[in-house]
Amino acid sequence: MGREALLLRLADPEKHLDKRRLAILKIQTEILRSMVERLIDKGYCWILPVIFSKTTDPLWPDPDFSIEKRVEVDIYGERVVAMQSMIIHKRVLVSLGPGKIFILSPNIRIERRDRASTGRHLYEFTQLEIEAAYAKMEDIFRIFEELIVGAMKRVKDELAPELELLGRDLRIPSTPFKVYRRSELEERYGRSWPVEVARNIREPVWVRDIPREFYDYEDLKSGEWRNYDLILPEGFGEVISGAEREYEYEKILMKLEKDGIDKSRYRILLDLAKKGLLKPSAGGGLGVERFVAYVAGVSHVAEVQPFPRIPGIVPEL
Ligand code: ASN
């Protein structure tokens, strides 16, 4: 099916909610069950999401920036924005509250219309966010690898008829996943490395050291960023982004200023850092629809959503 026909079908619930869809929903349910169980067993505390807040992820600077507008509304005489990611909330919570948390967090990102046909963008989607105080990059690699492989094995064992209906020959990747530096991939593939890498790999790969938002840890001496993306094969692309985090007051302030970001929106984060209460942590967020699309082998992430949120297309439901 061509992209245009697919987008039209997805926008029509009567055509969209067919047998394939039910198979995809079962796969999603099994994936979420598997991931959530593992996180709880590892002592992670399940936090419910926040939608409106005075502060959210600036999503800037980011090499993949494609946001058309921020959703801002007034409630009780106060201006709030729709959640773009709960990174700031995660940092505060792991510093003051439970040290290990996860959240199934809906994010609103009004992507440009031309992102409708990438097959990978939605204007509402859900991240499985995790964050752990004092964790390091490698700790988070191992946790996500376990979540991913565990969920894929579960789907393969429990849902063979659904995979067959979808025509999906699911291969379980081997762990640990390979790790590349962004600079070597950029040298090989140029600026569009994320798309090229996704086309050329056979198993998921970590990519580290990606200059972006202030909250990811940057080693100012070496210039290295201790952050990472996970890229899925078969063109599915980036499914996780995460990092070790900044926790020092002066450094956070300097980075906010350098990025031209309004500091007043990050007062609590800055106050905690100033008092030495902002703990070092690491974590990341996994795009649930993208991961389910990969496991189910479907060509557009919107196929995973009963009520698709395709950039530029606003349905009744
Ligand atoms: N969830 C990401 C993280 O933990 C942030 C993002 O979504 N931009 O780093």
Side-chain angles (χ1 to χ4, degrees):
M1 195 184 307
R3 283 270 189 230
E4 288 305 312
L6 176 66
L7 293 183
L8 280 176
R9 184 170 69 82
L10 293 178
D12 179 349
E14 279 187 40
K15 295 202 179 112
H16 174 45
L17 292 169
D18 55 10
K19 270 198 198 136
R20 275 173 62 81
R21 265 260 9 119
L22 292 180
I24 297 166
L25 285 178
K26 278 194 184 172
I27 289 173
Q28 175 174 279
T29 303
E30 216 48 65
I31 288 171
L32 289 174
R33 190 214 317 247
S34 165
M35 290 188 168
V36 159
E37 267 177 20
R38 255 167 228 275
L39 286 167
I40 294 170
D41 289 348
K42 285 178 178 298
Y44 278 71
C45 192
W46 191 345
I47 305 299
L48 295 176
V50 169
I51 303 289
F52 284 123
S53 178
K54 287 186 177 176
T55 185
T56 190
D57 190 332
L59 295 180
W60 178 263
D62 190 302
D64 199 31
F65 185 81
S66 57
I67 301 295
E68 197 172 283
K69 67 179 280 188
R70 285 157 59 94
V71 176
E72 299 193 4
V73 286
D74 281 350
I75 52 172
Y76 309 114
E78 305 268 11
R79 187 203 52 89
V80 291
V81 289
M83 195 60 67
Q84 301 194 130
S85 105
M86 281 184 67
I87 180 64
I88 308 300
H89 299 75
K90 287 201 299 178
R91 291 291 289 118
V92 170
L93 208 54
V94 295
S95 297
L96 297 179
K100 287 158 59 164
I101 57 168
F102 75 92
I103 321 163
L104 282 164
S105 169
N107 290 177
I108 314 283
R109 297 186 185 175
I110 310 304
E111 300 280 355
R112 289 192 322 251
R113 285 152 207 257
D114 60 355
R115 296 271 164 147
S117 56
T118 60
R120 307 191 310 110
H121 289 89
L122 298 166
Y123 65 85
E124 284 183 33
F125 70 102
T126 297
Q127 289 199 59
L128 174 60
E129 292 272 22
I130 70 171
E131 197 73 23
Y134 305 112
K136 294 289 180 194
M137 185 151 71
E138 288 73 18
D139 303 323
I140 302 300
F141 286 179
R142 298 296 89 81
I143 290 166
F144 273 121
E145 286 165 2
E146 197 185 320
L147 294 183
I148 285 173
V149 169
M152 290 178 79
K153 281 189 179 151
R154 182 102 140 224
V155 169
K156 208 167 173 168
D157 290 348
E158 307 285 329
L159 297 174
E162 282 74 13
L163 289 172
E164 201 184 321
L165 187 140
L166 293 164
R168 181 58 160 159
D169 178 19
L170 192 59
R171 289 185 341 115
I172 310 292
S174 41
T175 54
F177 301 159
K178 282 203 178 114
V179 185
Y180 292 94
R181 281 186 187 270
R182 184 236 345 137
S183 53
E184 61 182 295
L185 298 173
E186 222 164 46
E187 242 165 64
R188 202 181 318 164
Y189 297 112
R191 283 186 59 81
S192 60
W193 63 265
V195 176
E196 295 302 324
V197 170
R199 278 194 198 130
N200 285 291
I201 51 178
R202 298 180 136 259
E203 305 225 311
V205 298
W206 293 106
V207 180
R208 54 184 284 185
D209 187 12
I210 307 164
R212 57 187 176 205
E213 291 88 348
F214 74 95
Y215 48 76
D216 285 0
Y217 189 91
E218 181 184 4
D219 182 333
L220 294 178
K221 283 202 195 100
S222 67
E224 188 204 344
W225 290 70
R226 282 216 280 276
N227 60 9
Y228 36 84
D229 278 357
L230 184 75
I231 312 284
L232 294 175
E234 302 171 61
F236 285 95
E238 186 243 301
V239 72
I240 292 173
S241 64
E244 290 177 21
R245 314 297 185 183
E246 296 291 359
Y247 56 93
E248 291 154 310
Y249 175 72
E250 298 292 343
K251 209 171 155 200
I252 295 176
L253 201 61
M254 182 274 285
K255 289 177 85 180
L256 281 168
E257 274 167 10
K258 185 169 66 99
D259 292 348
I261 289 174
D262 181 0
K263 284 176 295 213
S264 67
R265 294 203 172 149
Y266 301 99
R267 195 181 46 78
I268 293 182
L269 194 79
L270 286 166
D271 280 357
L272 284 177
K274 201 172 194 173
K275 291 183 200 146
L277 294 175
L278 193 66
K279 291 180 183 161
S281 71
L286 172 137
V288 173
E289 293 87 347
R290 285 187 182 179
F291 183 65
V292 174
Y294 163 61
V295 174
V298 300
S299 64
H300 199 294
V301 269
E303 280 201 77
V304 172
Q305 295 180 308
F307 308 109
R309 294 310 193 236
I310 300 164
I313 301 175
V314 182
E316 185 178 327
L317 290 179

